[in-house]
Amino acid sequence: MATVKLEGFSDLEKELEKLSKAAGKGVLRRSLKKAATPMRDLMHDLAPRGDTASDQLAESVTIGTKLSKRQAGLHRKMFRNDKAAVEMFVGPGPDPAAWNQEFGNINHGAQPFARPAWDAEAQPTLDRLGIYLWDEFSKSLARADRKAAKKAAGS
């Protein structure tokens, strides 16, 4: 089990209230996607290759907000009381072969690619996230200010 310490999120939450709900979610999604891109790239690079199935596994590694029906059901059970506004997921698509490659099975040994990428990129991803959040927030706030000024000038 890993322990991480996050600072500044209460300040960020207060600042996000200056934006509309949609703009705030956009800030969070763009920031999460940018921060997680190196982890996705490393996971892609570490994925086993050599046959069609494993090559497809490497190509299925993505960043997104959607889960398969099964993954979504398991996620709801794990985070039933979580009121998170925005979530992003990094990993291979819903192909069951991903589990077999990552953890192995009776027929072949484990070829981990997701966990090593997480181990290498977890803290750097959080560090990047803080930078990207403030950058995206500043851009969105400037856009909102320009829009309000334009609306006020047109009134």
Side-chain angles (χ1 to χ4, degrees), residues 11 39 73-75 81 95 121 131:
D11 297 334
M39 184 183 299
L74 292 171
H75 182 70
N81 297 323
D95 183 359
E121 283 293 325
I131 294 165

Side-chain angles (χ1 to χ4, degrees), residues 47-140:
R49 290 181 172 72
D51 60 32
T52 306
S54 58
D55 289 345
Q56 289 174 352
L57 172 64
E59 295 308 315
S60 77
V61 176
T62 60
I63 302 169
T65 59
K66 304 285 186 211
L67 294 172
S68 71
K69 187 175 179 178
R70 180 181 176 282
Q71 290 168 330
L74 292 171
H75 182 70
R76 275 192 302 276
K77 286 179 186 173
M78 286 175 52
F79 298 99
R80 183 170 295 144
N81 297 323
D82 191 2
K83 303 273 192 241
V86 175
E87 294 176 320
M88 296 288 281
F89 304 97
V90 180
D95 183 359
W99 283 93
N100 290 318
Q101 291 294 347
E102 182 74 17
F103 301 109
N105 62 36
I106 195 166
N107 297 315
H108 77 83
Q111 295 175 301
F113 61 98
R115 181 58 189 245
W118 168 259
D119 290 342
E121 283 293 325
Q123 190 60 51
T125 297
L126 291 173
D127 295 341
R128 284 188 299 271
L129 180 59
I131 294 165
Y132 293 144
L133 278 169
W134 286 111
D135 183 51
E136 285 293 331
F137 170 75
S138 299
K139 290 177 188 176
S140 288

